[in-house]
Amino acid sequence: MRNRQRPSQLGLLLLASQLFQVGLDNIPPVTLAVLALNVYLYLFPAAPLLQACVSVQQAYWFSDWRRLLLSPLHHADDWHLYFNMVSFLWKGIRLERRLGGAWFLYLLSVFSLLTGLVYLVLEAALTELTQDQSYSMTCAVGFSGVLFALKVLNNHYHPGGVTNVMGVPVSNQYASWVELVLIHITSPGTSFVGHLAGILVGLLYTSGPLKTIMKKCAEVVTLNGYNSRPSSYYRSSGSSGTKAFKESNCTSAKPTLDRSYQQVSSLCPMPDMTYSFVQ
């Protein structure tokens, strides 16, 4: 498949710069592999963007369920990729060191699928409530639904801390909700429902039955021949040599319409962004 033709790949260059600033040796293997997979699928997409995004129309009406696998791993442009991967880099380092690589990979797989499913349920519900078919045809692409789920999980493990959300100090307990609203206000081209789906999946894990269900499934796998117990996946994060860096938060990004999808034209990075567009 041919590479995407872009007038500039500054987002990719900045992402590479960020990775080398942190140090590849300081990035846990699962986090690094997922980053590499997202970059690879941006350069060599498994499907065109309009065939990778997920919507009620395409996934449910037309039974194209493979979009649940494709949509979180494809990005609209290099800035979209950069925003999401820098955010994932920060979250991945902290969570993978705490949970262990095997459980973190398991977690990412489940979160990726569930976020897409919850997104479809929410869009279908909005269609029924408003009798507006555009909700079912709105197609979302990007990793940020998963990032919001990870944000909920990270805040759960650090309940007493404070997060800087676009320059505003917010308690970790409410940071995900505040960022959900602020990103929607400052960048209306992003998918509010996709981000909300991620928060709900994160809450299913931290406050609902999802974690228990995942542990039960892991126990079944263990009984079928794996040596490690599911409990071994939970490792407290000790001191790490990771170089300190912060997620970029700003309010100057202004979305502009570019035919099939919304893209951010500002060079100021905004974390956790999923693009949505109507087919």
Side-chain angles (χ1 to χ4, degrees), residues 68 110-120 144-146 149 194 197-198 201:
L68 289 174
V110 173
F111 277 13
S112 295
L113 287 175
L114 275 186
T115 299
L117 287 172
V118 173
Y119 170 79
L120 294 179
S144 67
V146 179
V201 170

Side-chain angles (χ1 to χ4, degrees), residues 194-265:
H195 295 166
L196 176 60
I199 291 177
L200 295 178
V201 170
L203 291 174
L204 279 175
Y205 185 89
T206 59
S207 304
L210 180 57
K211 181 178 178 180
T212 300
I213 294 172
M214 288 176 62
K215 290 177 70 174
K216 292 294 183 182
C217 293
E219 288 173 1
V220 171
V221 173
T222 302
L223 291 175
N224 285 328
Y226 285 86
N227 294 324
S228 60
R229 296 179 299 169
S231 59
S232 66
Y233 293 130
Y234 293 92
R235 297 205 306 264
S236 60
S237 56
S239 59
S240 74
T242 303
K243 297 180 181 178
F245 69 101
K246 295 182 179 179
E247 292 181 274
S248 300
N249 291 306
C250 63
T251 57
S252 62
K254 302 294 183 182
T256 56
L257 186 64
D258 183 14
R259 293 189 179 180
S260 62
Y261 60 86
Q262 297 280 352
Q263 65 177 7
V264 175
S265 58

Side-chain angles (χ1 to χ4, degrees), residues 11-271:
L12 279 177
L13 294 176
L14 289 177
L15 177 59
S17 174
Q18 183 71 80
L19 292 175
F20 284 108
Q21 178 183 342
V22 174
L24 296 181
D25 292 340
N26 292 320
I27 304 173
V30 173
T31 299
L32 187 59
V34 173
L35 278 163
L37 178 61
N38 275 270
V39 172
Y40 178 83
L41 288 176
Y42 171 74
L43 296 172
F44 306 97
L49 202 62
L50 288 171
Q51 296 176 24
C53 64
V54 64
S55 68
V56 175
Q57 179 191 48
Q58 296 296 330
Y60 182 68
W61 295 355
F62 299 153
S63 299
D64 191 1
W65 295 107
R66 72 185 185 120
R67 290 172 180 258
L68 289 174
L69 300 175
L70 295 177
S71 60
L73 299 175
H74 287 75
H75 292 83
D77 55 34
D78 57 322
W79 287 112
H80 187 201
L81 177 71
Y82 169 73
F83 299 150
N84 281 348
M85 291 302 99
V86 169
S87 179
F88 175 65
L89 178 63
W90 176 75
K91 295 175 177 67
I93 288 174
R94 299 187 74 182
L95 289 174
E96 186 174 347
R97 291 189 184 280
R98 182 182 183 97
L99 301 176
W103 189 267
F104 187 59
L105 178 60
Y106 182 25
L107 190 78
L108 288 176
S109 302
V110 173
F111 277 13
S112 295
L113 287 175
L114 275 186
T115 299
L117 287 172
V118 173
Y119 170 79
L120 294 179
V121 170
L122 292 176
E123 292 285 23
L126 286 171
T127 299
E128 290 298 319
L129 290 173
T130 64
Q131 295 300 305
D132 184 352
Q133 296 297 316
S134 67
Y135 288 107
S136 291
M137 293 184 289
T138 300
C139 217
V141 65
F143 201 66
S144 67
V146 179
L147 291 175
F148 266 86
L150 295 179
K151 182 184 295 291
V152 171
L153 184 58
N154 183 68
N155 292 342
H156 173 74
Y157 288 131
H158 304 87
V162 175
T163 299
N164 192 317
V165 180
M166 300 182 187
V168 180
V170 179
S171 170
N172 282 349
Q173 184 178 359
Y174 307 107
S176 299
W177 297 103
V178 172
E179 188 168 344
L180 172 70
V181 174
L182 288 180
I183 286 181
H184 183 65
I185 292 173
T186 59
S187 300
T190 58
S191 176
F192 179 86
V193 177
H195 295 166
L196 176 60
I199 291 177
L200 295 178
V201 170
L203 291 174
L204 279 175
Y205 185 89
T206 59
S207 304
L210 180 57
K211 181 178 178 180
T212 300
I213 294 172
M214 288 176 62
K215 290 177 70 174
K216 292 294 183 182
C217 293
E219 288 173 1
V220 171
V221 173
T222 302
L223 291 175
N224 285 328
Y226 285 86
N227 294 324
S228 60
R229 296 179 299 169
S231 59
S232 66
Y233 293 130
Y234 293 92
R235 297 205 306 264
S236 60
S237 56
S239 59
S240 74
T242 303
K243 297 180 181 178
F245 69 101
K246 295 182 179 179
E247 292 181 274
S248 300
N249 291 306
C250 63
T251 57
S252 62
K254 302 294 183 182
T256 56
L257 186 64
D258 183 14
R259 293 189 179 180
S260 62
Y261 60 86
Q262 297 280 352
Q263 65 177 7
V264 175
S265 58
S266 170
L267 298 186
C268 188
M270 181 85 69

